[in-house]
Amino acid sequence: MKKLRVYLMVIFTALTVLSFPDAHAQSSAQKFGRGLAGMTCGFLEIPGNIVQETRTQGAVGVPIGLAKGLGMFVARELVGVYEFISSPFPAPAGYRPILQPEYPWDYFE
């Protein structure tokens, strides 16, 4: 029962952080949300890059997107850990997200 409360609290916190209306506000909560998303949803880089490359290059984009997705999967996970750990520290003025798109699911919009 105690584990269930912890899991529910983590899920509630993640949903709260990710539901901020202003996507350009670079606060600790935004860094925390990006880090959590990067650590847990980094696998979306693979289909996301396939979709992006296929849109721009046609059928040739499938193997290219697969290769880019595998590389970006590692990068998204590592940057996610960095942003998650550094989220309590204030972001410097003019701070922008390290990776584009900001969240791994933004490829599918």
Side-chain angles (χ1 to χ4, degrees):
M1 188 67 172
K2 196 170 194 169
K3 282 186 176 182
L4 178 63
R5 279 192 213 143
V6 171
Y7 290 135
L8 288 174
M9 184 60 87
V10 168
I11 290 170
F12 175 76
T13 303
L15 289 174
T16 303
V17 167
L18 295 175
S19 66
F20 282 98
D22 185 13
H24 299 291
Q26 300 302 320
S27 65
S28 293
Q30 284 294 104
K31 280 178 70 176
F32 177 81
R34 272 195 312 273
L36 190 62
M39 290 188 307
T40 59
C41 299
F43 64 91
L44 288 175
E45 285 289 335
I46 297 168
N49 276 290
I50 292 173
V51 167
Q52 182 181 19
E53 290 299 319
T54 303
R55 285 180 184 156
T56 59
Q57 298 186 14
V60 173
V62 174
I64 295 170
L66 178 64
K68 282 180 69 176
L70 289 172
M72 286 300 295
F73 170 69
V74 174
R76 179 75 65 177
E77 294 288 332
L78 293 174
V79 169
V81 169
Y82 166 75
E83 288 199 321
F84 185 80
I85 291 173
S86 67
S87 65
F89 307 108
Y95 178 80
R96 300 170 87 187
I98 297 171
L99 296 176
Q100 290 299 327
E102 192 171 354
Y103 294 100
W105 52 81
D106 287 344
Y107 286 109
F108 306 105
E109 292 181 344

